[in-house]
Amino acid sequence: SGPWREAETYIYGRRRKVRWKEVVGLWRVAESDVPVKLVVAEVAGYKKRFTLVGSALELTGLEMVELFAARFRQEDGFRDLKQRLGWEECRAWTKNPIERTSQAQWVTLSLLRLTQFALESAGEVDWWYRPPWRRKKDRPSVLDVERLLRRHRGEIQRFLAEWLGDEEEAA
């Protein structure tokens, strides 16, 4: 019940309009004496409504949507680390190799994201792939940057070999 509230905020990489309603109540799944906040939100660019339940009563509904979206981007990052950069293949059993591997992968993912954002902001549009099953895809992904770099792998290897003074290995 009550009117929809509206605002604009930064969600999933761009400013979006958000409409939401919120209510505090008791949820049977949680302990019956612990109040929870329920938020239903419509986010511009998404077909389905967001339905969130949380115990942080001091947050507004909009703040809960922002936090959910930020958390979801973290999950995307973990997925990218696991699926695209081989994190699941890290078989280290001690702290140091795990930290080194994780740091190297986070730096790599960050560099891929920065490359993606730089190409996108420069207005480049023909370098990334729009799959036939997703023609409305409107922005590149980390996978698109990986494809771009793979296409130029030979050139990159030759450049690095020349730079390092190993021209014989580049041949």
Side-chain angles (χ1 to χ4, degrees):
S1 64
W4 286 92
R5 298 167 74 182
E6 295 184 18
E8 190 173 294
T9 189
Y10 192 77
I11 293 180
Y12 297 130
R14 57 182 65 154
R15 293 204 59 80
R16 298 179 187 271
K17 290 184 180 180
V18 179
R19 291 183 49 199
W20 79 95
K21 289 185 178 191
E22 60 188 83
V23 66
V24 175
L26 301 176
W27 191 26
R28 207 177 257 255
V29 176
E31 297 177 26
S32 60
D33 60 341
V34 176
V36 294
K37 182 176 280 194
L38 170 69
V39 177
V40 176
E42 295 173 346
V43 178
Y46 290 84
K47 294 177 185 174
K48 294 185 178 181
R49 287 183 174 172
F50 289 42
T51 305
L52 308 171
V53 177
S55 60
L57 303 180
E58 69 280 3
L59 296 177
T60 68
L62 181 63
E63 290 170 330
M64 286 180 65
V65 172
E66 289 170 331
L67 288 171
F68 172 79
R71 172 66 185 188
F72 194 78
R73 294 301 295 178
Q74 286 178 338
E75 296 300 329
D76 281 348
F78 289 129
R79 182 207 59 219
D80 287 344
L81 284 169
K82 291 165 84 174
Q83 294 178 356
R84 309 226 195 303
L85 300 177
W87 203 17
E88 78 279 357
E89 295 173 12
C90 176
R91 301 283 188 247
W93 298 105
T94 60
K95 181 180 177 182
N96 287 339
I98 291 170
E99 287 178 348
R100 281 193 310 264
T101 301
S102 298
Q103 290 171 4
Q105 290 172 333
W106 289 329
V107 166
T108 302
L109 181 60
S110 296
L111 291 172
L112 288 170
R113 283 277 186 220
L114 288 171
T115 303
Q116 169 197 345
F117 296 150
L119 287 166
E120 190 177 11
S121 67
E124 298 290 334
V125 292
D126 293 333
W127 65 271
W128 59 283
Y129 178 66
R130 287 174 181 79
W133 60 88
R134 194 171 167 207
R135 291 279 180 215
K136 293 183 179 180
K137 181 178 174 182
D138 64 348
R139 51 194 304 218
S141 65
V142 167
L143 183 57
D144 293 314
V145 176
E146 288 180 59
R147 286 186 188 115
L148 173 68
L149 294 175
R150 279 191 214 113
R151 274 198 319 256
H152 298 286
R153 181 179 179 175
E155 296 169 58
I156 294 169
Q157 286 177 325
R158 280 189 295 281
F159 172 76
L160 290 174
E162 289 172 15
W163 183 58
L164 294 172
D166 298 331
E167 290 86 4
E168 293 173 13
E169 290 184 24

